[in-house]
Structures are given as structure tokens and as C-alpha cells.
Amino acid sequence: MDTKTIFMVFFTITILVSHACPSLSQKDVDDELLVNPGREMEALTEISPTSQDYNIYMLGKLPPKYLLYLNSCGDKMGPSGDECIDDVLREILTNKHASKECCVEVVKTGKECYMEIQKFIFRLYQFKRFASQVSFRTNQVWDRCSSEVETPLSSHHSAIELS
């Protein structure tokens, strides 16, 4: 066999194997942890003088109306809002599901507010390095929470409408 034939056979086999077993040809990056739970996750929330200066500067550049909007979004989450934001952030970065209670708060807040809060968080110095990787996961968390929360409510509303 000549080199060209060997190359064509190898190429054909590679194509067939990658179509038959797609998991061999690509890695599913959506399931990978961006941050290890525990100490690495805790270290992200530690504020250094550099990160604090950056965050203050970044906040100063945002329009006041936008900051008011974000504040009202946070208020919609109620008294456990900060904990829920942390819970959701942990899910986005470590794949550890946020609690059902937080999902209720997230859904109550609404998708637009939820997405803006997440967008803002990933502008902060501690989290900006993940900004390009979290868009899909942010949507996944919303989808999971909304389906988990709205499914029982939908069946409850249909039962009320039928009576």
C-alpha cells in the first residue's frame, strides 16, 4: 500500500469512529467544574485591595439607572436573596444544585432580573475570568429552576381552573 492509500484508510476509519462514538471525538465541557467546591470556591469571594478597587471603579462606570434596576432585582429575591445568589453562583461554577427554596426566589424574581444579576456578578473582579464560560450554565440554572418550580404550580393552577 502506498502512503496516500494508508492515509485515506486511516482518515475514513477516524471519521466512522467519530460518528459512531461522538463522545470519543469531543469532550463535554458543560459538565466540567469551573471551580472546585470548598476552599477554591471560598477563595473566589475573598476581597483583596486590588479586586475592591477594580469593583469600585467598575461600579462607578455603570449608569445609575442600571444600578437601581439591579438593586430592585435583588429586592425581589427577598431577605434570602444574597444566600440564593451565592447558591446559584455555586451551581454555575461547581455544578452543585441550588436549593429548591432558592429556585423559587430566582423564578419569582423573573428571568430578566436573574440574567442581569448574573451578568453583573461576572463583571466583578473575582468572577470576570469565567464570564465567557458561564452564559450556557446561567441559562441551564434558570431552565432547571423554572421547570422545578413551575411544574407543581402549573398542575395546581390547572386543577383550580377545572373546578
Short mmCIF file of all heavy atoms in Angstrom, two decimals, residues 34-103:
data_model
loop_
_atom_site.label_atom_id
_atom_site.label_comp_id
_atom_site.label_asym_id
_atom_site.label_seq_id
_atom_site.Cartn_x
_atom_site.Cartn_y
_atom_site.Cartn_z
N LEU A 34 -16.00 24.52 36.85
CA LEU A 34 -15.16 25.68 36.61
C LEU A 34 -14.32 25.96 37.84
O LEU A 34 -13.22 26.50 37.75
CB LEU A 34 -16.02 26.90 36.27
CG LEU A 34 -16.80 26.80 34.95
CD1 LEU A 34 -17.68 28.03 34.77
CD2 LEU A 34 -15.86 26.64 33.78
N VAL A 35 -14.86 25.60 38.99
CA VAL A 35 -14.18 25.81 40.27
C VAL A 35 -14.45 24.58 41.12
O VAL A 35 -15.56 24.06 41.13
CB VAL A 35 -14.75 27.06 40.99
CG1 VAL A 35 -14.16 27.22 42.36
CG2 VAL A 35 -14.53 28.30 40.16
N ASN A 36 -13.46 24.13 41.85
CA ASN A 36 -13.68 23.03 42.77
C ASN A 36 -14.42 23.53 44.00
O ASN A 36 -14.10 24.60 44.52
CB ASN A 36 -12.35 22.40 43.20
CG ASN A 36 -11.69 21.66 42.06
OD1 ASN A 36 -12.36 20.97 41.30
ND2 ASN A 36 -10.40 21.82 41.91
N PRO A 37 -15.42 22.76 44.45
CA PRO A 37 -16.15 23.18 45.65
C PRO A 37 -15.19 23.25 46.85
O PRO A 37 -14.13 22.65 46.84
CB PRO A 37 -17.18 22.08 45.86
CG PRO A 37 -17.16 21.24 44.63
CD PRO A 37 -15.88 21.50 43.92
N GLY A 38 -15.60 23.96 47.86
CA GLY A 38 -14.77 24.05 49.06
C GLY A 38 -13.87 25.26 49.04
O GLY A 38 -14.29 26.36 48.72
N ARG A 39 -12.61 25.05 49.36
CA ARG A 39 -11.65 26.15 49.54
C ARG A 39 -11.49 27.01 48.29
O ARG A 39 -11.40 28.23 48.37
CB ARG A 39 -10.29 25.58 49.98
CG ARG A 39 -9.25 26.63 50.23
CD ARG A 39 -9.59 27.47 51.45
NE ARG A 39 -8.70 28.61 51.51
CZ ARG A 39 -9.07 29.87 51.63
NH1 ARG A 39 -10.33 30.18 51.74
NH2 ARG A 39 -8.20 30.85 51.66
N GLU A 40 -11.47 26.39 47.11
CA GLU A 40 -11.29 27.17 45.88
C GLU A 40 -12.50 28.10 45.66
O GLU A 40 -12.34 29.25 45.27
CB GLU A 40 -11.11 26.26 44.68
CG GLU A 40 -10.71 26.99 43.43
CD GLU A 40 -10.42 26.07 42.25
OE1 GLU A 40 -10.35 24.84 42.42
OE2 GLU A 40 -10.28 26.61 41.14
N MET A 41 -13.70 27.59 45.96
CA MET A 41 -14.90 28.41 45.83
C MET A 41 -14.88 29.54 46.85
O MET A 41 -15.20 30.69 46.54
CB MET A 41 -16.15 27.54 46.00
CG MET A 41 -17.45 28.26 45.83
SD MET A 41 -17.68 28.80 44.13
CE MET A 41 -19.10 29.84 44.32
N GLU A 42 -14.49 29.23 48.07
CA GLU A 42 -14.40 30.25 49.13
C GLU A 42 -13.38 31.33 48.77
O GLU A 42 -13.60 32.51 49.04
CB GLU A 42 -14.02 29.60 50.46
CG GLU A 42 -15.12 28.75 51.07
CD GLU A 42 -14.63 27.98 52.29
OE1 GLU A 42 -13.62 28.37 52.90
OE2 GLU A 42 -15.27 26.97 52.62
N ALA A 43 -12.28 30.92 48.18
CA ALA A 43 -11.22 31.88 47.83
C ALA A 43 -11.71 32.90 46.82
O ALA A 43 -11.24 34.04 46.82
CB ALA A 43 -10.01 31.13 47.29
N LEU A 44 -12.67 32.53 45.98
CA LEU A 44 -13.20 33.47 44.99
C LEU A 44 -13.89 34.66 45.63
O LEU A 44 -13.90 35.76 45.08
CB LEU A 44 -14.19 32.77 44.06
CG LEU A 44 -13.59 31.94 42.95
CD1 LEU A 44 -14.70 31.24 42.19
CD2 LEU A 44 -12.77 32.79 42.01
N THR A 45 -14.49 34.44 46.78
CA THR A 45 -15.26 35.51 47.40
C THR A 45 -14.42 36.41 48.30
O THR A 45 -14.92 37.40 48.81
CB THR A 45 -16.44 34.93 48.21
OG1 THR A 45 -15.93 34.03 49.20
CG2 THR A 45 -17.41 34.19 47.29
N GLU A 46 -13.16 36.05 48.49
CA GLU A 46 -12.29 36.89 49.30
C GLU A 46 -11.93 38.16 48.51
O GLU A 46 -11.60 38.09 47.34
CB GLU A 46 -11.02 36.12 49.70
CG GLU A 46 -11.33 34.98 50.65
CD GLU A 46 -10.10 34.11 50.92
OE1 GLU A 46 -9.00 34.42 50.42
OE2 GLU A 46 -10.28 33.10 51.62
N ILE A 47 -12.01 39.29 49.17
CA ILE A 47 -11.77 40.57 48.53
C ILE A 47 -10.36 41.05 48.87
O ILE A 47 -9.98 41.13 50.02
CB ILE A 47 -12.78 41.63 49.02
CG1 ILE A 47 -14.22 41.15 48.81
CG2 ILE A 47 -12.54 42.97 48.36
CD1 ILE A 47 -14.71 41.21 47.40
N SER A 48 -9.60 41.35 47.83
CA SER A 48 -8.28 41.93 48.03
C SER A 48 -8.38 43.42 47.72
O SER A 48 -9.34 43.86 47.10
CB SER A 48 -7.28 41.26 47.10
OG SER A 48 -7.52 41.66 45.76
N PRO A 49 -7.39 44.21 48.10
CA PRO A 49 -7.44 45.64 47.75
C PRO A 49 -7.54 45.86 46.23
O PRO A 49 -8.28 46.73 45.78
CB PRO A 49 -6.12 46.18 48.29
CG PRO A 49 -5.76 45.25 49.41
CD PRO A 49 -6.27 43.90 48.98
N THR A 50 -6.85 45.04 45.47
CA THR A 50 -6.91 45.18 44.02
C THR A 50 -8.31 44.90 43.50
O THR A 50 -8.85 45.67 42.70
CB THR A 50 -5.91 44.21 43.34
OG1 THR A 50 -4.62 44.47 43.85
CG2 THR A 50 -5.92 44.37 41.84
N SER A 51 -8.92 43.80 43.95
CA SER A 51 -10.26 43.47 43.47
C SER A 51 -11.28 44.50 43.94
O SER A 51 -12.18 44.87 43.19
CB SER A 51 -10.67 42.06 43.91
OG SER A 51 -10.72 41.96 45.32
N GLN A 52 -11.10 45.00 45.15
CA GLN A 52 -12.02 46.01 45.66
C GLN A 52 -11.92 47.29 44.83
O GLN A 52 -12.94 47.88 44.46
CB GLN A 52 -11.74 46.29 47.13
CG GLN A 52 -12.78 47.17 47.77
CD GLN A 52 -12.58 47.27 49.27
OE1 GLN A 52 -11.55 46.88 49.81
NE2 GLN A 52 -13.57 47.80 49.95
N ASP A 53 -10.72 47.73 44.53
CA ASP A 53 -10.52 48.92 43.69
C ASP A 53 -11.15 48.73 42.32
O ASP A 53 -11.83 49.62 41.81
CB ASP A 53 -9.03 49.24 43.53
CG ASP A 53 -8.39 49.77 44.81
OD1 ASP A 53 -9.15 50.14 45.73
OD2 ASP A 53 -7.15 49.79 44.87
N TYR A 54 -10.92 47.57 41.73
CA TYR A 54 -11.49 47.28 40.41
C TYR A 54 -13.02 47.34 40.47
O TYR A 54 -13.66 47.96 39.62
CB TYR A 54 -11.04 45.90 39.92
CG TYR A 54 -11.70 45.50 38.63
CD1 TYR A 54 -11.14 45.84 37.41
CD2 TYR A 54 -12.89 44.78 38.63
CE1 TYR A 54 -11.75 45.48 36.21
CE2 TYR A 54 -13.51 44.43 37.44
CZ TYR A 54 -12.94 44.78 36.24
OH TYR A 54 -13.55 44.42 35.07
N ASN A 55 -13.60 46.68 41.47
CA ASN A 55 -15.06 46.62 41.59
C ASN A 55 -15.66 48.01 41.81
O ASN A 55 -16.69 48.35 41.23
CB ASN A 55 -15.48 45.66 42.70
CG ASN A 55 -15.17 44.21 42.35
OD1 ASN A 55 -14.96 43.87 41.18
ND2 ASN A 55 -15.13 43.37 43.36
N ILE A 56 -15.01 48.82 42.63
CA ILE A 56 -15.48 50.19 42.87
C ILE A 56 -15.41 51.00 41.58
O ILE A 56 -16.36 51.71 41.23
CB ILE A 56 -14.68 50.86 44.01
CG1 ILE A 56 -15.02 50.20 45.34
CG2 ILE A 56 -14.93 52.36 44.05
CD1 ILE A 56 -14.10 50.58 46.49
N TYR A 57 -14.32 50.86 40.85
CA TYR A 57 -14.17 51.57 39.58
C TYR A 57 -15.26 51.12 38.59
O TYR A 57 -15.90 51.93 37.93
CB TYR A 57 -12.77 51.32 39.01
CG TYR A 57 -12.55 51.95 37.66
CD1 TYR A 57 -12.30 53.32 37.54
CD2 TYR A 57 -12.61 51.17 36.50
CE1 TYR A 57 -12.12 53.90 36.29
CE2 TYR A 57 -12.42 51.76 35.25
CZ TYR A 57 -12.18 53.12 35.16
OH TYR A 57 -12.00 53.70 33.93
N MET A 58 -15.46 49.80 38.50
CA MET A 58 -16.45 49.24 37.58
C MET A 58 -17.86 49.73 37.95
O MET A 58 -18.63 50.13 37.08
CB MET A 58 -16.38 47.71 37.62
CG MET A 58 -17.28 47.00 36.62
SD MET A 58 -18.87 46.46 37.26
CE MET A 58 -18.44 45.41 38.62
N LEU A 59 -18.17 49.73 39.23
CA LEU A 59 -19.48 50.22 39.69
C LEU A 59 -19.67 51.69 39.33
O LEU A 59 -20.77 52.10 38.95
CB LEU A 59 -19.62 50.04 41.20
CG LEU A 59 -20.02 48.66 41.67
CD1 LEU A 59 -19.85 48.56 43.18
CD2 LEU A 59 -21.44 48.32 41.27
N GLY A 60 -18.61 52.46 39.46
CA GLY A 60 -18.68 53.89 39.13
C GLY A 60 -18.94 54.15 37.66
O GLY A 60 -19.44 55.21 37.29
N LYS A 61 -18.61 53.20 36.82
CA LYS A 61 -18.81 53.35 35.37
C LYS A 61 -20.21 52.93 34.92
O LYS A 61 -20.60 53.22 33.80
CB LYS A 61 -17.78 52.53 34.60
CG LYS A 61 -16.37 53.02 34.75
CD LYS A 61 -16.23 54.34 34.06
CE LYS A 61 -14.81 54.84 34.06
NZ LYS A 61 -14.70 56.16 33.46
N LEU A 62 -20.94 52.24 35.79
CA LEU A 62 -22.28 51.77 35.41
C LEU A 62 -23.30 52.90 35.57
O LEU A 62 -23.22 53.69 36.51
CB LEU A 62 -22.70 50.58 36.28
CG LEU A 62 -21.87 49.31 36.10
CD1 LEU A 62 -22.30 48.26 37.11
CD2 LEU A 62 -22.00 48.77 34.68
N PRO A 63 -24.27 52.97 34.66
CA PRO A 63 -25.30 54.02 34.76
C PRO A 63 -26.13 53.85 36.04
O PRO A 63 -26.48 52.73 36.41
CB PRO A 63 -26.18 53.79 33.52
CG PRO A 63 -25.41 52.88 32.64
CD PRO A 63 -24.44 52.14 33.48
N PRO A 64 -26.45 54.96 36.71
CA PRO A 64 -27.25 54.89 37.94
C PRO A 64 -28.58 54.16 37.76
O PRO A 64 -29.00 53.41 38.65
CB PRO A 64 -27.48 56.36 38.31
CG PRO A 64 -26.35 57.09 37.66
CD PRO A 64 -26.03 56.32 36.41
N LYS A 65 -29.23 54.32 36.61
CA LYS A 65 -30.49 53.62 36.36
C LYS A 65 -30.30 52.11 36.36
O LYS A 65 -31.14 51.37 36.85
CB LYS A 65 -31.12 54.05 35.02
CG LYS A 65 -31.86 55.34 35.08
CD LYS A 65 -32.56 55.60 33.76
CE LYS A 65 -33.38 56.87 33.85
NZ LYS A 65 -34.10 57.15 32.60
N TYR A 66 -29.19 51.66 35.80
CA TYR A 66 -28.88 50.23 35.78
C TYR A 66 -28.66 49.70 37.20
O TYR A 66 -29.15 48.63 37.56
CB TYR A 66 -27.66 49.96 34.89
CG TYR A 66 -27.28 48.50 34.81
CD1 TYR A 66 -28.08 47.60 34.13
CD2 TYR A 66 -26.12 48.03 35.42
CE1 TYR A 66 -27.74 46.26 34.05
CE2 TYR A 66 -25.77 46.70 35.35
CZ TYR A 66 -26.58 45.81 34.66
OH TYR A 66 -26.24 44.48 34.59
N LEU A 67 -27.93 50.47 38.01
CA LEU A 67 -27.69 50.07 39.39
C LEU A 67 -29.00 50.01 40.18
O LEU A 67 -29.20 49.10 40.99
CB LEU A 67 -26.69 51.01 40.05
CG LEU A 67 -25.27 50.94 39.50
CD1 LEU A 67 -24.39 52.03 40.11
CD2 LEU A 67 -24.66 49.56 39.74
N LEU A 68 -29.90 50.97 39.95
CA LEU A 68 -31.22 50.94 40.60
C LEU A 68 -31.99 49.70 40.16
O LEU A 68 -32.66 49.05 40.97
CB LEU A 68 -32.01 52.21 40.28
CG LEU A 68 -31.61 53.46 41.02
CD1 LEU A 68 -32.34 54.69 40.45
CD2 LEU A 68 -31.91 53.32 42.51
N TYR A 69 -31.92 49.39 38.88
CA TYR A 69 -32.59 48.21 38.36
C TYR A 69 -32.06 46.94 39.03
O TYR A 69 -32.82 46.10 39.48
CB TYR A 69 -32.42 48.13 36.84
CG TYR A 69 -32.97 46.87 36.24
CD1 TYR A 69 -34.34 46.68 36.14
CD2 TYR A 69 -32.12 45.88 35.77
CE1 TYR A 69 -34.85 45.51 35.59
CE2 TYR A 69 -32.62 44.71 35.22
CZ TYR A 69 -33.99 44.53 35.13
OH TYR A 69 -34.49 43.37 34.60
N LEU A 70 -30.73 46.82 39.11
CA LEU A 70 -30.13 45.65 39.76
C LEU A 70 -30.55 45.57 41.23
O LEU A 70 -30.84 44.49 41.74
CB LEU A 70 -28.60 45.72 39.69
CG LEU A 70 -27.95 45.32 38.39
CD1 LEU A 70 -26.44 45.52 38.47
CD2 LEU A 70 -28.26 43.88 38.03
N ASN A 71 -30.59 46.72 41.88
CA ASN A 71 -31.00 46.77 43.28
C ASN A 71 -32.44 46.30 43.44
O ASN A 71 -32.76 45.53 44.36
CB ASN A 71 -30.82 48.19 43.81
CG ASN A 71 -30.63 48.23 45.30
OD1 ASN A 71 -30.23 47.24 45.90
ND2 ASN A 71 -30.89 49.38 45.88
N SER A 72 -33.32 46.74 42.55
CA SER A 72 -34.72 46.31 42.64
C SER A 72 -34.83 44.81 42.34
O SER A 72 -35.66 44.12 42.92
CB SER A 72 -35.62 47.13 41.72
OG SER A 72 -35.40 46.81 40.37
N CYS A 73 -34.00 44.31 41.44
CA CYS A 73 -33.98 42.87 41.17
C CYS A 73 -33.58 42.10 42.43
O CYS A 73 -34.18 41.08 42.76
CB CYS A 73 -33.02 42.54 40.03
SG CYS A 73 -33.60 43.04 38.41
N GLY A 74 -32.56 42.59 43.10
CA GLY A 74 -32.12 41.96 44.34
C GLY A 74 -33.21 42.00 45.40
O GLY A 74 -33.40 41.02 46.13
N ASP A 75 -33.94 43.12 45.46
CA ASP A 75 -35.03 43.24 46.43
C ASP A 75 -36.13 42.22 46.17
O ASP A 75 -36.76 41.72 47.11
CB ASP A 75 -35.63 44.65 46.41
CG ASP A 75 -34.69 45.70 46.99
OD1 ASP A 75 -33.69 45.31 47.65
OD2 ASP A 75 -34.93 46.90 46.75
N LYS A 76 -36.37 41.89 44.91
CA LYS A 76 -37.41 40.91 44.56
C LYS A 76 -37.10 39.54 45.13
O LYS A 76 -38.01 38.73 45.32
CB LYS A 76 -37.57 40.81 43.04
CG LYS A 76 -38.21 42.00 42.40
CD LYS A 76 -38.29 41.79 40.89
CE LYS A 76 -38.82 43.00 40.18
NZ LYS A 76 -38.85 42.80 38.72
N MET A 77 -35.82 39.26 45.35
CA MET A 77 -35.44 37.95 45.88
C MET A 77 -35.72 37.82 47.37
O MET A 77 -35.62 36.74 47.93
CB MET A 77 -33.98 37.66 45.60
CG MET A 77 -33.70 37.44 44.14
SD MET A 77 -32.05 36.84 43.83
CE MET A 77 -32.36 35.08 43.80
N GLY A 78 -36.07 38.92 48.00
CA GLY A 78 -36.43 38.86 49.41
C GLY A 78 -35.22 38.80 50.32
O GLY A 78 -34.08 38.96 49.88
N PRO A 79 -35.48 38.51 51.61
CA PRO A 79 -34.41 38.53 52.62
C PRO A 79 -33.31 37.48 52.39
O PRO A 79 -32.19 37.67 52.81
CB PRO A 79 -35.13 38.30 53.94
CG PRO A 79 -36.52 37.92 53.61
CD PRO A 79 -36.78 38.23 52.18
N SER A 80 -33.64 36.40 51.73
CA SER A 80 -32.62 35.36 51.49
C SER A 80 -31.92 35.55 50.15
O SER A 80 -31.24 34.67 49.67
CB SER A 80 -33.26 33.97 51.55
OG SER A 80 -34.24 33.84 50.54
N GLY A 81 -32.08 36.73 49.55
CA GLY A 81 -31.52 37.00 48.22
C GLY A 81 -30.04 36.77 48.12
O GLY A 81 -29.57 36.13 47.16
N ASP A 82 -29.26 37.29 49.06
CA ASP A 82 -27.80 37.11 48.99
C ASP A 82 -27.41 35.64 49.06
O ASP A 82 -26.53 35.19 48.33
CB ASP A 82 -27.10 37.89 50.11
CG ASP A 82 -27.13 39.39 49.88
OD1 ASP A 82 -27.43 39.82 48.74
OD2 ASP A 82 -26.86 40.14 50.83
N GLU A 83 -28.08 34.90 49.96
CA GLU A 83 -27.78 33.46 50.07
C GLU A 83 -28.13 32.74 48.78
O GLU A 83 -27.39 31.86 48.33
CB GLU A 83 -28.57 32.84 51.23
CG GLU A 83 -28.11 33.27 52.59
CD GLU A 83 -29.01 32.74 53.69
OE1 GLU A 83 -29.56 31.62 53.54
OE2 GLU A 83 -29.17 33.44 54.70
N CYS A 84 -29.26 33.10 48.19
CA CYS A 84 -29.68 32.45 46.94
C CYS A 84 -28.74 32.80 45.79
O CYS A 84 -28.43 31.94 44.97
CB CYS A 84 -31.11 32.83 46.59
SG CYS A 84 -32.30 31.98 47.65
N ILE A 85 -28.30 34.03 45.74
CA ILE A 85 -27.35 34.42 44.70
C ILE A 85 -26.07 33.59 44.85
O ILE A 85 -25.52 33.09 43.87
CB ILE A 85 -27.07 35.94 44.74
CG1 ILE A 85 -28.31 36.69 44.26
CG2 ILE A 85 -25.85 36.30 43.90
CD1 ILE A 85 -28.25 38.19 44.47
N ASP A 86 -25.61 33.41 46.10
CA ASP A 86 -24.43 32.57 46.35
C ASP A 86 -24.69 31.12 45.94
O ASP A 86 -23.83 30.46 45.36
CB ASP A 86 -24.03 32.62 47.82
CG ASP A 86 -23.44 33.96 48.23
OD1 ASP A 86 -23.10 34.77 47.34
OD2 ASP A 86 -23.34 34.21 49.45
N ASP A 87 -25.90 30.64 46.26
CA ASP A 87 -26.29 29.26 45.94
C ASP A 87 -26.28 29.04 44.42
O ASP A 87 -25.76 28.05 43.92
CB ASP A 87 -27.68 29.00 46.51
CG ASP A 87 -27.87 27.61 47.06
OD1 ASP A 87 -26.87 26.88 47.20
OD2 ASP A 87 -29.03 27.25 47.36
N VAL A 88 -26.84 29.98 43.69
CA VAL A 88 -26.89 29.90 42.23
C VAL A 88 -25.48 30.01 41.65
O VAL A 88 -25.12 29.26 40.73
CB VAL A 88 -27.83 30.98 41.66
CG1 VAL A 88 -27.67 31.11 40.15
CG2 VAL A 88 -29.27 30.68 42.02
N LEU A 89 -24.70 30.91 42.18
CA LEU A 89 -23.32 31.07 41.73
C LEU A 89 -22.55 29.77 41.93
O LEU A 89 -21.79 29.33 41.05
CB LEU A 89 -22.66 32.21 42.50
CG LEU A 89 -21.27 32.61 42.08
CD1 LEU A 89 -21.24 33.07 40.64
CD2 LEU A 89 -20.76 33.73 42.99
N ARG A 90 -22.76 29.13 43.06
CA ARG A 90 -22.11 27.85 43.35
C ARG A 90 -22.53 26.79 42.31
O ARG A 90 -21.73 26.00 41.84
CB ARG A 90 -22.46 27.39 44.76
CG ARG A 90 -21.59 26.28 45.28
CD ARG A 90 -21.82 26.00 46.77
NE ARG A 90 -21.35 27.12 47.58
CZ ARG A 90 -22.14 28.00 48.22
NH1 ARG A 90 -23.44 27.88 48.17
NH2 ARG A 90 -21.63 28.98 48.93
N GLU A 91 -23.83 26.82 41.94
CA GLU A 91 -24.28 25.85 40.92
C GLU A 91 -23.62 26.13 39.57
O GLU A 91 -23.18 25.21 38.89
CB GLU A 91 -25.80 25.89 40.76
CG GLU A 91 -26.29 24.91 39.71
CD GLU A 91 -27.78 24.69 39.67
OE1 GLU A 91 -28.49 25.09 40.62
OE2 GLU A 91 -28.25 24.10 38.68
N ILE A 92 -23.54 27.37 39.20
CA ILE A 92 -22.93 27.73 37.91
C ILE A 92 -21.46 27.30 37.87
O ILE A 92 -20.99 26.75 36.88
CB ILE A 92 -23.08 29.24 37.63
CG1 ILE A 92 -24.55 29.58 37.39
CG2 ILE A 92 -22.22 29.66 36.45
CD1 ILE A 92 -24.85 31.08 37.38
N LEU A 93 -20.75 27.51 38.96
CA LEU A 93 -19.31 27.25 38.97
C LEU A 93 -18.94 25.83 39.36
O LEU A 93 -17.89 25.33 38.91
CB LEU A 93 -18.61 28.24 39.91
CG LEU A 93 -18.68 29.71 39.49
CD1 LEU A 93 -18.10 30.60 40.57
CD2 LEU A 93 -17.98 29.93 38.16
N THR A 94 -19.74 25.16 40.19
CA THR A 94 -19.34 23.84 40.68
C THR A 94 -20.34 22.73 40.37
O THR A 94 -20.13 21.59 40.76
CB THR A 94 -19.13 23.86 42.22
OG1 THR A 94 -20.40 24.03 42.86
CG2 THR A 94 -18.15 24.93 42.65
N ASN A 95 -21.44 23.07 39.71
CA ASN A 95 -22.49 22.10 39.37
C ASN A 95 -23.23 21.55 40.60
O ASN A 95 -23.91 20.54 40.49
CB ASN A 95 -21.94 20.93 38.54
CG ASN A 95 -21.45 21.37 37.19
OD1 ASN A 95 -21.80 22.43 36.69
ND2 ASN A 95 -20.60 20.56 36.58
N LYS A 96 -23.11 22.20 41.74
CA LYS A 96 -23.86 21.78 42.95
C LYS A 96 -25.20 22.52 42.91
O LYS A 96 -25.25 23.74 43.01
CB LYS A 96 -23.08 22.16 44.21
CG LYS A 96 -23.78 21.75 45.48
CD LYS A 96 -22.98 22.18 46.71
CE LYS A 96 -23.65 21.74 47.97
NZ LYS A 96 -24.48 22.75 48.56
N HIS A 97 -26.28 21.78 42.75
CA HIS A 97 -27.60 22.39 42.56
C HIS A 97 -27.99 23.34 43.68
O HIS A 97 -27.78 23.04 44.86
CB HIS A 97 -28.67 21.30 42.45
CG HIS A 97 -28.71 20.68 41.09
ND1 HIS A 97 -29.79 20.00 40.63
CD2 HIS A 97 -27.80 20.64 40.08
CE1 HIS A 97 -29.56 19.57 39.40
NE2 HIS A 97 -28.34 19.94 39.06
N ALA A 98 -28.56 24.46 43.27
CA ALA A 98 -29.12 25.41 44.23
C ALA A 98 -30.35 24.77 44.86
O ALA A 98 -31.00 23.92 44.25
CB ALA A 98 -29.50 26.71 43.51
N SER A 99 -30.68 25.20 46.06
CA SER A 99 -31.82 24.61 46.77
C SER A 99 -33.13 24.97 46.07
O SER A 99 -33.22 25.93 45.32
CB SER A 99 -31.86 25.13 48.21
OG SER A 99 -32.16 26.52 48.20
N LYS A 100 -34.14 24.18 46.36
CA LYS A 100 -35.47 24.45 45.79
C LYS A 100 -35.97 25.82 46.26
O LYS A 100 -36.59 26.55 45.48
CB LYS A 100 -36.45 23.37 46.21
CG LYS A 100 -37.87 23.66 45.78
CD LYS A 100 -38.55 22.52 45.18
CE LYS A 100 -39.92 22.97 44.72
NZ LYS A 100 -40.56 22.01 43.92
N GLU A 101 -35.69 26.18 47.51
CA GLU A 101 -36.11 27.48 48.03
C GLU A 101 -35.48 28.61 47.21
O GLU A 101 -36.15 29.60 46.91
CB GLU A 101 -35.73 27.63 49.51
CG GLU A 101 -36.46 26.69 50.45
CD GLU A 101 -35.91 25.26 50.46
OE1 GLU A 101 -34.74 25.04 50.06
OE2 GLU A 101 -36.68 24.35 50.84
N CYS A 102 -34.23 28.46 46.87
CA CYS A 102 -33.57 29.49 46.05
C CYS A 102 -34.14 29.50 44.64
O CYS A 102 -34.29 30.56 44.05
CB CYS A 102 -32.06 29.28 46.04
SG CYS A 102 -31.30 29.82 47.58
N CYS A 103 -34.46 28.34 44.12
CA CYS A 103 -35.07 28.29 42.79
C CYS A 103 -36.40 29.05 42.80
O CYS A 103 -36.71 29.77 41.86
CB CYS A 103 -35.30 26.85 42.35
SG CYS A 103 -33.82 26.07 41.65
#
